[in-house]
Amino acid sequence: MPDASSTVGDLVAAFLDACGVQTAFGVISIHNMPVLDAFARGNRMRFVPARGEAGALNMADAFARVSGALGVGVTSTGVAAGNAAGSLVEALTAGSPVLHLTGQIERGWLDRGWGYIHEAPDQPTMLKGVSKAYFRVGAPEDALNVLREAVRTALTPPMGPVSVEIPIDVQSTAVGIPEALAPARIVRTRPSPADLDALAEAVAGARRPVLWLGGGARGAESAVLRLADMGIGIVTSTNGRGVVPETHPMTLGAFNAAPPVEAFYGTCDLMAVAGSRLRGNETLKWKLGLPDNRWRVDCDPSMDGRGYASAHFVRGDAVAALGGLADRLTGRLRIDPAFAGDLAAARQAAEEGLRANLGENWSTILDIVKAHFPAGSPWVRDITLSNSIWGNRAVPLTGSRQGVHSLGGAIGQGLPMALGAALAEPGRRTVALVGDGGFALNVGELATLAQERAAVTILLMNDGGYGVIRNIQDAHYGGRRHYADLLTPDFAALCASMGVRHLRAASIEAFSQTLPKALEGEGPAVLEVDMAGLGPFARPFAGPPVRDSD
Ligand SMILES: Cc1ncc(C[n+]2csc(CCOP(=O)(O)OP(=O)(O)O)c2C)c(N)n1
């Protein structure tokens, strides 16, 4: 029965409930209160009040990546929506299904430039630039259909964040809540049987085939496992990590651009790239040598030839394509008997190369992390030296929803992402690798983490400033050091002020003793690692690798 006292805000809450959304993140404001009031009154939503909109949208993004379901972030209009923009860029980069609900000023003053509170000229253009799609609820009677289309768009591959503006007077208008609130069906572009037959024929004819799998392949675990068990080689992008357990003997993991792996590609007679952008920082800016006989599988036809020319293109969802491929290949492969051994040797050489970059102390630290890492837990990483050198590849993941990483390369997102990941996976302890510089950017979200009592362990890699920037200045700017040595908070005091457990390690021994403690117990813990105490990495990291000629 329509309820005469309900508003568009209640309709938003009821529709999200029908979509199965039980957790949302945001910051309350005069321009979103009818929606948040409805969230609270319905008592069906866990709403996480973040300290900033950037953090809130990072939380929603990580929640989506780990749960595989819609992430929801609510902001106010104007500056608040602007604060969310960077996090929406990251969600767009990673293909995360995020619904960004933002207020907008009253319709009667919209676009008039009279100086209404929180007014932003041309906010739609900003949101269009950072989202997969943008919608406005222009009238109360349109609300349900606009929301339904927004959620459908966010969840349809290629997935991404979708922004919906709801003017404040629309939010508070009385409307009936219809009984039929079901979300739209998500239709995935299925590859044509003829294209899959041709791809299967090519792979069956190859003796050393390898699949490069990106974030678009997440969800294809069972098919990829079948393909790997048949003896096909697998390598993933950072965003595709764990689509097959990184411990499987037929995967190179995310060691996708290591020199021994590039040499191995030179011996492969086919590569099929599925659901991956072949990003510049993972392909030596598209100069990484890949096998010439390249197939590309993507639901987005504009990916054909992006970065690398492809010999053949299969239009279709990577998950459906990999399932169809596994079905067609059973019993048909004639893999070179030396292939598995060569792949294993390439991976081992890549791992040894990584160890050589670490040096002895850091190699021991990596062993300690690997020994204690809680199996299956989310592994969240900010842009810090430890991630670029080892965290991005060397801690093996067994599922494609475990890895959450600042894919676009922006610092500051690790702390809020850790909270979003933890709320999506409450039965496990999330582990996050964050530098002191990145930590400072969204440090207010430590209070959100404490308030939500989330099971998160942060490895806070403290080198008193921007380590990678110093390294880049040494490598490319004549050693001139500017703007990278920062005032560093007393993290113990900061944590104490919020009731967060704080531990500290300035030696290998202390690290091996404190890490298990930081991984047990309830609620959040910060293990501050004094980088100076552990000494430098054997090979300084100075930005994503490029070809020497660059
Ligand atoms: C949003 C954003 N601003 C600036 C940068 C440039 N940047 C890249 S790494 C970095 C320093 C990171 O310092 P920290 O988090 O302490 O990690 P460290 O390099 O010291 O390990 C900066 C400023 C960036 N990547 N993203």
Side-chain angles (χ1 to χ4, degrees):
M1 277 295 288
D3 174 354
S5 65
S6 57
T7 65
V8 168
D10 293 294
L11 179 59
V12 172
F15 176 64
L16 291 179
D17 192 40
C19 293
V21 176
Q22 291 170 345
T23 308
F25 307 86
V27 179
I28 194 159
S29 162
I30 191 172
H31 278 140
N32 60 27
M33 286 172 81
V35 170
L36 296 191
D37 187 48
F39 280 8
R41 267 186 293 126
N43 207 20
R44 290 175 297 210
M45 181 80 81
R46 177 175 186 175
F47 181 75
V48 176
R51 299 306 188 269
E53 293 79 7
L57 269 292
N58 284 150
M59 292 170 200
D61 176 352
F63 183 91
R65 294 193 211 183
V66 172
S67 66
L70 191 70
V72 176
V74 185
T75 70
S76 188
T77 189
V79 170
N83 286 346
S87 307
L88 290 166
V89 171
E90 171 62 19
L92 191 60
T93 304
S96 285
V98 168
L99 179 68
H100 169 218
L101 295 174
T102 175
Q104 178 52 285
I105 69 171
E106 277 178 70
R107 284 172 297 169
W109 282 274
L110 203 51
D111 300 329
R112 296 174 77 174
W114 284 15
Y116 193 103
I117 185 165
H118 296 340
E119 183 173 356
D122 207 8
Q123 178 162 287
T125 299
M126 174 184 76
L127 294 174
K128 282 176 198 166
V130 296
S131 306
K132 177 182 173 185
Y134 152 85
F135 297 91
R136 176 182 288 168
V137 179
E141 57 273 25
D142 298 338
L144 180 57
N145 285 338
V146 170
L147 287 167
R148 198 177 258 141
E149 181 57 8
V151 169
R152 190 195 68 77
T153 306
L155 286 166
T156 300
M159 294 187 256
V162 172
S163 291
V164 179
E165 275 182 345
I166 316 181
I168 184 61
D169 56 314
V170 172
Q171 290 179 41
S172 55
T173 303
V175 284
I177 311 257
E179 271 169 26
L181 286 171
R185 207 163 62 84
I186 305 302
V187 180
R188 288 173 171 260
T189 317
R190 296 197 74 80
S192 79
D195 278 353
L196 280 184
D197 289 346
L199 174 59
E201 189 69 26
V203 178
R207 307 220 57 214
R208 299 173 66 92
V210 61
L211 299 177
W212 173 305
L213 305 177
R218 280 178 298 177
E221 275 83 344
S222 60
V224 178
L225 188 59
R226 282 160 69 201
L227 292 161
D229 285 344
M230 288 178 211
I232 294 175
I234 311 288
V235 66
T236 76
S237 70
T238 312
N239 209 22
R241 283 191 68 180
V243 67
V244 68
E246 292 182 331
T247 46
H248 193 287
M250 285 313 298
T251 186
L252 294 154
F255 288 90
N256 47 28
V261 169
E262 186 178 28
F264 171 77
Y265 294 151
T267 73
C268 296
D269 53 1
L270 179 143
M271 174 177 269
V273 178
S276 175
R277 266 167 225 258
L278 296 169
R279 289 174 200 285
N281 59 336
E282 298 188 51
T283 57
L284 311 177
K285 281 202 259 171
W286 303 283
K287 287 185 178 167
L288 180 72
L290 300 178
D292 289 336
N293 183 12
R294 267 191 309 277
W295 289 66
R296 192 105 180 227
V297 180
D298 208 290
C299 56
D300 175 358
S302 78
M303 291 308 293
D304 187 7
R306 283 254 196 119
Y308 285 86
S310 25
H312 306 274
F313 184 77
V314 174
R315 182 182 178 192
D317 183 69
V319 177
L322 291 161
L325 189 62
D327 292 344
R328 283 166 174 77
L329 284 175
T330 307
R332 282 179 67 190
L333 288 170
R334 296 178 308 112
I335 303 285
D336 173 359
F339 187 57
D342 293 347
L343 182 142
R347 175 159 178 181
Q348 193 186 334
E351 294 201 20
E352 282 164 9
L354 183 143
R355 295 274 179 177
N357 290 341
L358 289 177
E360 212 178 302
N361 281 4
W362 284 98
S363 204
T364 307
I365 293 288
L366 171 57
D367 287 333
I368 297 167
V369 173
K370 282 169 79 169
H372 293 283
F373 190 85
S377 275
W379 175 228
V380 179
R381 288 104 59 212
D382 208 89
I383 301 300
T384 181
L385 287 167
S386 284
N387 182 54
S388 303
I389 299 173
W390 54 271
N392 246 351
R393 279 166 289 278
V395 177
L397 304 183
T398 49
S400 71
R401 305 237 156 257
Q402 258 181 285
V404 178
H405 158 246
S406 170
L407 201 66
I411 65 169
Q413 309 185 93
L415 169 58
M417 280 178 164
L419 175 52
L423 297 194
E425 193 66 275
R428 298 180 193 273
R429 176 163 279 274
T430 291
V431 187
L433 193 56
V434 183
D436 57 301
F439 191 81
L441 198 145
N442 268 318
V443 70
E445 303 309 347
L446 186 62
T448 320
L449 191 63
Q451 152 203 296
E452 298 300 316
R453 302 218 38 77
V456 170
T457 298
I458 293 176
L459 304 182
L460 177 54
M461 313 310 278
N462 184 3
D463 59 4
Y466 294 157
V468 72
I469 298 291
R470 294 179 191 135
N471 289 354
I472 294 170
Q473 288 170 336
D474 287 350
H476 304 297
Y477 292 86
R480 293 181 297 281
R481 296 275 189 89
H482 306 299
Y483 315 130
D485 294 335
L486 309 173
L487 183 144
T488 304
D490 176 341
F491 290 113
L494 180 69
C495 289
S497 75
M498 298 182 189
V500 172
R501 267 191 304 143
H502 174 272
L503 304 94
R504 195 162 173 281
S507 66
I508 292 178
E509 204 178 31
F511 187 75
S512 79
Q513 281 165 6
T514 49
L515 181 64
K517 291 186 191 139
L519 292 172
E520 53 184 49
E522 310 246 305
V526 170
L527 170 50
E528 181 183 351
V529 179
D530 180 343
M531 303 286 286
L534 293 168
F537 295 100
R539 184 159 176 238
F541 175 87
V546 289
R547 270 268 116 81
D548 290 343
S549 55
D550 277 4

